[in-house]
Amino acid sequence: SAQIADLQQKLLDADNGDRAKQRWDSIATILEAKCALKYLLGELVSSKVQESKLQSGLEQSQASCSDVQKMLMEERNHIAELETAFQNQILVQEQQHQEKVNRSSWK
């Protein structure tokens, strides 16, 4: 039954495509041509508006992505600085401990 439904849908789609083609092929008067042209221009304007909205959305997304990448880089740098400070602190503590051990062994 799923295959039958799929085939029926394909037939409907093909029939709609044929109807659209027949409409364009059957334009016989200037008035019909003007109406078709008016429709096509409306579709063009609609497409251009949609393209503009999508382009604007893309630009905003790219700007957001750039901001997030910048923040990520700053955080990575901050983490690297913290790691360096932590390693230095460990080194100082190890040296202090070694000095204490050395002083204890001299006593």
Side-chain angles (χ1 to χ4, degrees):
S1 64
Q3 288 177 336
I4 291 172
D6 186 44
L7 289 173
Q8 287 174 337
Q9 185 60 46
K10 286 181 181 178
L11 284 173
L12 285 174
D13 291 343
D15 189 37
N16 287 338
D18 288 343
R19 284 186 190 160
K21 187 176 185 296
Q22 286 174 356
R23 282 187 192 142
W24 292 111
D25 290 343
S26 67
I27 292 177
T29 66
I30 296 293
L31 180 60
E32 289 174 344
K34 284 182 180 180
C35 288
L37 188 56
K38 185 176 180 179
Y39 170 78
L40 288 174
L41 289 174
E43 289 296 308
L44 176 64
V45 168
S46 202
S47 295
K48 289 289 186 178
V49 167
Q50 184 67 18
E51 178 192 16
S52 177
K53 287 179 183 178
L54 291 172
Q55 184 67 32
S56 176
L58 174 63
E59 289 169 2
Q60 287 177 353
S61 294
Q62 287 173 333
S64 291
C65 181
S66 179
D67 290 345
V68 168
Q69 286 176 333
K70 183 179 176 183
M71 284 181 7
L72 178 61
M73 188 60 69
E74 289 171 356
E75 288 300 316
R76 285 181 177 163
N77 290 339
H78 182 67
I79 289 172
E81 290 170 4
L82 290 175
E83 285 178 350
T84 301
F86 180 68
Q87 292 297 327
N88 288 338
Q89 190 177 16
I90 289 174
L91 184 62
V92 167
Q93 288 180 355
E94 286 175 349
Q95 289 172 347
Q96 289 173 351
H97 175 73
Q98 190 63 39
E99 289 173 5
K100 284 181 185 179
V101 169
N102 289 341
R103 275 186 268 157
S104 298
S105 64
W106 285 101
K107 289 183 180 181

